Amino acid sequence: MARPTNIIIMEIEFNNSHGPAIEQAIDSDSNNLLTSPVIRKDDDSSSDYDDDDVSIDSIGTPYHSNHHLYAPLEITSRPAAVIIPNRTTNFFGIRRKKIKIILVLFIIAVTILVASLVETRTTTAIPEQPTRDEKDDDNDDEPNPPVFPESIKLFHPPKNEIEARELQTIIQQSASDPILTREDEFSANNDKTSPSKSDYAQPTTDYTYTTANHFSSTHRIALLFSPGTYPIDFEVGYYTSIHGLGIHPTDVAFANVTKGPHVPALDKYTNRPPNGSGLDTFWRSIENIATYPHHGMRWTVSQAAPLRRMHIGTNLDLYDGDAWVSGGVVANVVVEGRVNFGGQQQWLMRNVDLRGGEVPVGGAWSLVFVGCVGDVPREFSGMMMKGGGGGAGAGAGPSISVEDDVDLRVEKPYIVMKEMGRRYRNRRRRRRGSMIREGEEGREQPTSSEYYHRFTNGTNPREEVEYHRYRFELRVPAATFGRNATGPQFEDGSGDGIIRDFRRVKLGVPSNSTDPTEAAVQNHKNLQKALDEGKDLVISPGIYPVSDTLNVKYANQVILGLGYATLVAPRDGSPCILVHPRVPGVRIAGIMLEASKQKGNTNSGRTASPSSSSLLQWGTPAADDDPGDARNPGVLSDVYARVGGVHRDVSTDVMIRLHSGNVYGDNLWLWRADHVQLRPKEEPNFPQISGKYRQTERGECEVKNGLVVEAGASNVTIVGLAVEHATEDQIVWNGEYGQVYFYQSEFPYDVDHSYADNKFAGYRVGPNVENHKAVGLGIYSNFRDYDVKVGTAVVHPANGYGSRGIQLRNMFTVKLDNKGKIGSIVNGRGPGPTVDSEKGHPYRCLNETCSGSEGE
């Protein structure tokens, strides 16, 4: 910093007989007239003047003595004078010249320091904590950055090993599944469902993660990581979503790690020990990060647990030993190493760049690759060669379905945090939510409008504080078509609406009312208000019962859930969300939709829900001409509906109903719960199946269909669709030019013979449809209570045969367990199991006529 120009050094000679009289002083640098300070002699009392009676105007009372005189220094906007005595006497033996030099240097140093502090105080003032209702004087903008609730944790890169360990501990305690140690399991081994100690003669682990949070009614959390490097390992637990906040996935990197964020098999001491299981490992996700684990990334999951928008720098292992798993989806990802599917029953890879130098390995029944590049395997039917054994049409597995010619791809919206600058300041400031550094207790994410790091500065009792100012954006990637729809897309495209400031994004939080009715009213009012104002809606983790439907009426509006935010349907049968007809470009993503107990339900659990009830509806029956917009489709990304689980006396008619055309689905799981949470002191009804849950029985968790695509909903495309256990047809597709890539379905376990008598199917294309395409369809049976013999898995109109009509490829059925069977694959054709058939074995058809199946 340059020497201030508003300081004038003046020497004053003192005379015992005449007092000093200074009337004006000129600043030699600025030529400004200095009228203060002025040291003057009182003319009326000149004879009484003494050198000890000196006054200084404007600066203040000086300290004075017979030997020297100085005044306190004030930094003002005008020049100031510094008065130094000019005496011939010494001060403690120091000559006057040295005294003058020392004082001058001291004053200049103090002046520079004070001026610097004043400037810093002016430019780095910390704004007050914004309130949730804070509004701009002239508009209804939301605060940016938003005020995060406790269910959203924002983390910054650790700066040392101590901080990294602290961060890892915080994440494990808040977001990882509960653990069971080997010691605790042995000491509590009086549970009849637990394995005996002899099963652990050679234990492989000291603890196992468990499924204790499987049906948690309260646990929902989102972990947000600002750009930087995180050398930490942690398991990703139930209802947890991981979000990197960079523009590119590599902006947030988990490096120098053994495992990074990962999911192993769960319940290794209690479920097929020592293997554990991944069959119930649902509802967890990772988005927009890079990870480089030394042991490879392990992700042993089933449905509703996607990896998307990632850069995986090593191998990707989608299994854990011999644990059973039923996944899953990887979308918009680069994998530098090899992909190993292990025992995964089925898996979808969408827009993945496979760079490992060798094709993926493993998999049990079906692998589907859509828009992928790199080391993509070749198409394979999965059928055994004649004479290879296993019965007619039996599969060697897995089938491999490769779709290179992709018409459309739309990526999920995501959040970016951009740094707007940083400041440094020496100031001890303790605020709830700060990142506490070495030597301090506790550590949480910041919550103020200037998020900041801080750390102790050696032994100095004061801290050096590093302030970072951020702004948040909602990124909404543009749709891509044709050749641009293959491979990963980390660039967002161009055009209006791609980058949206969080000032026009409402962060929804659940009502804190303890009254369920009041909470539902408040939730609906708060969320609907934001939608009515034309804002995008980001819903924070939590449970949101709503008293009425959320209506989406504006084109290109976004509803994005974090941490598996769950909307519980109104009790009158109306949907959680209704997208109005002729409203293009709406995005609904990251949301769970849950059925509620309908008014009029009986104590037996049987429902009186209206035939029109659903959990999500797109368009209306009255709008019979609603083709949508092919260049700006509506999008459902990572949308999960469930009927039952926490409760069993819930119901709806259809989980998702589409009336509008040009809707794109990206990873949907529509699940009627096959097992539900035990009530207090309730014993399991099928302990041989599970000692933890009640197995769903007839009259519980009722829903007729998972998905209904109405006749007016043409050009609907879904990449990644799973529908399970509905009590009638699993899906009904009446719209023209529908496309489905990857379909997984299970018939309900609890139905009786009437289910087969009514000729319900796992995949039904309506009788008037002429054009439909589906690739990689797997439909499974597990009839627990009755010997149900379903006639066929897939039904479609025979008049649609041909290259320009009905196109089906790589279909199969599997008898998982228990009784009954699926007699054929498509329209009564194709093989099925016999009494002596091996369970878990796929039976396959190559195309819509089953002309490619063996044994026909």
Side-chain angles (χ1 to χ4, degrees), residues 193-309:
T193 65
S194 298
S196 65
K197 294 181 181 180
S198 61
D199 292 327
Y200 295 100
Q202 299 294 329
T204 57
T205 59
D206 293 327
Y207 65 90
T208 179
Y209 293 100
T210 71
T211 57
N213 286 338
H214 183 61
F215 282 132
S216 172
S217 59
T218 57
H219 179 76
R220 300 285 191 281
I221 191 168
L223 306 184
L224 276 56
F225 292 87
S226 66
T229 301
Y230 296 83
I232 57 176
D233 300 312
F234 61 93
E235 190 252 10
V236 181
Y238 278 103
Y239 308 107
T240 298
S241 62
I242 307 298
H243 303 266
L245 297 179
I247 295 175
H248 191 280
T250 54
D251 292 341
V252 176
F254 289 83
N256 300 317
V257 294
T258 302
K259 301 177 181 179
H262 65 281
V263 179
L266 307 182
D267 290 332
K268 290 186 176 182
Y269 296 164
T270 58
N271 195 326
R272 296 178 63 240
N275 300 302
S277 177
L279 291 177
D280 292 337
T281 308
F282 311 139
W283 306 308
R284 61 197 75 203
S285 62
I286 302 180
E287 302 178 29
N288 200 27
I289 68 162
T291 183
Y292 306 90
H294 299 318
H295 292 176
M297 181 178 184
R298 188 169 301 283
W299 194 248
T300 314
V301 301
S302 292
Q303 292 86 351
L307 300 176
R308 64 166 67 239
R309 194 177 172 82

Side-chain angles (χ1 to χ4, degrees), residues 513-531:
S513 174
T514 57
D515 179 76
T517 301
E518 181 181 359
V521 171
Q522 291 178 356
N523 286 332
H524 176 265
K525 178 181 178 181
N526 294 336
L527 300 179
Q528 187 62 55
K529 181 177 183 292
L531 294 173

Side-chain angles (χ1 to χ4, degrees), residues 69 113 205 211 221 313 347 382 449 480 505 509 531 612 650 653 677 724 741 744 829 833:
L69 170 69
L113 176 61
T205 59
T211 57
I221 191 168
W347 199 276
S449 61
T480 57
V505 176
V509 296
L531 294 173
S612 60
V650 298
D653 177 38
Q677 185 171 259
E724 298 185 300
Y741 302 95
Q744 180 261 322
R829 304 190 69 182

Side-chain angles (χ1 to χ4, degrees), residues 369-372 379 401-406 741 773 775 809:
F369 297 81
V370 178
C372 296
E379 178 100 4
S401 305
V402 179
E403 193 68 21
D404 296 322
D405 186 14
V406 179
Y741 302 95
K773 181 178 180 178
V775 177
R809 190 166 91 243

Side-chain angles (χ1 to χ4, degrees), residues 364-647:
W365 300 332
S366 175
L367 304 176
V368 178
F369 297 81
V370 178
C372 296
V373 296
D375 301 312
V376 181
R378 297 176 61 183
E379 178 100 4
F380 177 58
S381 68
M383 295 182 185
M384 301 183 80
M385 299 298 292
K386 289 185 178 181
S399 63
I400 299 174
S401 305
V402 179
E403 193 68 21
D404 296 322
D405 186 14
V406 179
D407 298 326
L408 171 67
R409 178 261 302 276
V410 191
E411 297 297 346
K412 181 180 177 181
Y414 62 101
I415 297 172
V416 166
M417 186 177 75
K418 297 184 70 176
E419 184 173 328
M420 308 303 292
R422 64 181 66 186
R423 299 287 184 267
Y424 299 90
R425 217 169 145 183
N426 286 328
R427 181 175 182 182
R428 177 169 292 278
R429 183 182 182 89
R430 290 190 177 273
R431 180 183 291 179
R432 181 178 176 274
S434 64
M435 297 284 285
I436 310 300
R437 300 301 175 190
E438 180 178 355
E440 300 184 340
E441 296 180 355
R443 179 173 172 188
E444 300 174 297
Q445 96 282 5
T447 57
S448 67
S449 61
E450 274 196 344
Y451 301 112
Y452 58 88
H453 306 302
R454 70 185 187 181
F455 57 93
T456 27
N457 184 12
T459 59
N460 192 331
R462 301 179 67 82
E463 294 180 316
E464 183 175 9
V465 184
E466 180 181 331
Y467 295 85
H468 294 249
R469 188 168 183 83
Y470 299 114
R471 286 292 180 264
F472 284 74
E473 297 173 349
L474 179 64
R475 296 288 182 101
V476 186
T480 57
F481 305 91
R483 297 177 62 182
N484 293 327
T486 59
Q489 178 195 9
F490 297 152
E491 303 299 328
D492 299 321
S494 59
D496 295 337
I498 299 299
I499 302 175
R500 306 185 185 182
D501 193 293
F502 249 71
R503 289 176 297 179
R504 298 300 298 167
V505 176
K506 174 68 175 180
L507 180 65
V509 296
S511 168
N512 57 11
S513 174
T514 57
D515 179 76
T517 301
E518 181 181 359
V521 171
Q522 291 178 356
N523 286 332
H524 176 265
K525 178 181 178 181
N526 294 336
L527 300 179
Q528 187 62 55
K529 181 177 183 292
L531 294 173
D532 290 343
E533 292 172 348
K535 296 175 181 176
D536 296 317
L537 185 58
V538 172
I539 305 180
S540 61
I543 312 295
Y544 296 77
V546 289
S547 61
D548 203 353
T549 297
L550 297 176
N551 289 272
V552 183
K553 297 174 284 188
Y554 295 104
N556 304 312
Q557 210 160 18
V558 174
I559 298 178
L560 173 63
L562 303 180
Y564 291 81
T566 304
L567 299 177
V568 182
R571 295 190 60 195
D572 63 357
S574 56
C576 300
I577 300 175
L578 169 63
V579 180
H580 282 227
R582 303 182 185 88
V583 180
V586 170
R587 310 284 184 98
I588 299 175
I591 293 290
M592 287 187 67
L593 307 169
E594 192 162 290
S596 63
K597 181 177 180 180
Q598 301 295 292
K599 295 177 181 177
N601 280 7
T602 65
N603 291 333
S604 66
R606 296 189 180 275
T607 180
S609 62
S611 60
S612 60
S613 64
S614 65
L615 301 183
L616 185 146
Q617 182 174 318
W618 205 299
T620 61
D624 55 358
D625 182 18
D626 185 14
D629 186 342
R631 304 300 295 181
N632 187 23
V635 184
L636 294 163
S637 301
D638 294 343
V639 173
Y640 313 120
R642 72 181 184 189
V643 180
V646 178
H647 305 289

Side-chain angles (χ1 to χ4, degrees), residues 146-158:
V147 183
F148 289 132
E150 289 297 319
S151 60
I152 297 178
K153 306 294 185 185
L154 173 63
F155 299 106
H156 297 284

Side-chain angles (χ1 to χ4, degrees), residues 517-830:
T517 301
E518 181 181 359
V521 171
Q522 291 178 356
N523 286 332
H524 176 265
K525 178 181 178 181
N526 294 336
L527 300 179
Q528 187 62 55
K529 181 177 183 292
L531 294 173
D532 290 343
E533 292 172 348
K535 296 175 181 176
D536 296 317
L537 185 58
V538 172
I539 305 180
S540 61
I543 312 295
Y544 296 77
V546 289
S547 61
D548 203 353
T549 297
L550 297 176
N551 289 272
V552 183
K553 297 174 284 188
Y554 295 104
N556 304 312
Q557 210 160 18
V558 174
I559 298 178
L560 173 63
L562 303 180
Y564 291 81
T566 304
L567 299 177
V568 182
R571 295 190 60 195
D572 63 357
S574 56
C576 300
I577 300 175
L578 169 63
V579 180
H580 282 227
R582 303 182 185 88
V583 180
V586 170
R587 310 284 184 98
I588 299 175
I591 293 290
M592 287 187 67
L593 307 169
E594 192 162 290
S596 63
K597 181 177 180 180
Q598 301 295 292
K599 295 177 181 177
N601 280 7
T602 65
N603 291 333
S604 66
R606 296 189 180 275
T607 180
S609 62
S611 60
S612 60
S613 64
S614 65
L615 301 183
L616 185 146
Q617 182 174 318
W618 205 299
T620 61
D624 55 358
D625 182 18
D626 185 14
D629 186 342
R631 304 300 295 181
N632 187 23
V635 184
L636 294 163
S637 301
D638 294 343
V639 173
Y640 313 120
R642 72 181 184 189
V643 180
V646 178
H647 305 289
R648 65 195 70 168
D649 53 351
V650 298
S651 62
T652 191
D653 177 38
V654 175
M655 294 189 225
I656 292 180
R657 189 190 300 273
L658 304 179
H659 292 279
S660 301
N662 279 291
V663 173
Y664 179 84
D666 172 21
N667 186 30
L668 312 181
W669 184 38
L670 315 180
W671 185 60
R672 175 190 176 230
D674 58 89
H675 59 280
V676 298
Q677 185 171 259
L678 290 170
R679 291 168 176 163
K681 299 183 180 180
E682 181 182 17
E683 293 292 328
N685 54 348
F686 290 88
Q688 73 276 17
I689 297 177
S690 173
K692 293 184 175 183
Y693 310 115
R694 173 184 174 84
Q695 303 303 300
T696 302
E697 298 187 11
R698 294 183 65 201
E700 299 173 343
C701 311
E702 290 201 338
V703 56
K704 296 177 182 178
N705 313 113
L707 173 68
V708 173
V709 180
E710 300 290 5
S714 59
N715 296 293
V716 170
T717 299
I718 301 180
V719 185
L721 174 62
V723 182
E724 298 185 300
H725 316 135
T727 58
E728 296 184 7
D729 290 326
Q730 301 306 297
I731 73 168
V732 179
W733 201 295
N734 292 316
E736 286 287 354
Y737 299 101
Q739 299 182 68
V740 173
Y741 302 95
F742 180 91
Y743 178 72
Q744 180 261 322
S745 180
E746 286 183 6
F747 284 117
Y749 301 170
D750 55 327
V751 293
D752 61 13
H753 298 289
S754 64
Y755 191 83
D757 296 340
N758 286 313
K759 300 184 181 341
F760 292 130
Y763 192 102
R764 183 179 297 277
V765 182
N768 298 319
V769 174
E770 296 182 358
N771 299 276
H772 187 86
K773 181 178 180 178
V775 177
L777 282 68
I779 299 170
Y780 316 146
S781 71
N782 184 14
F783 297 115
R784 185 191 64 215
D785 300 337
Y786 296 89
D787 189 23
V788 179
K789 294 181 174 62
V790 170
T792 197
V794 179
V795 175
H796 68 79
N799 64 316
Y801 288 156
S803 62
R804 296 181 60 83
I806 306 298
Q807 303 176 62
L808 307 180
R809 190 166 91 243
N810 287 346
M811 298 152 291
F812 65 98
T813 64
V814 177
K815 178 179 179 178
L816 297 174
D817 203 352
N818 291 311
K819 308 170 185 178
K821 68 175 184 177
I822 304 171
S824 64
I825 300 173
V826 180
N827 286 355
R829 304 190 69 182

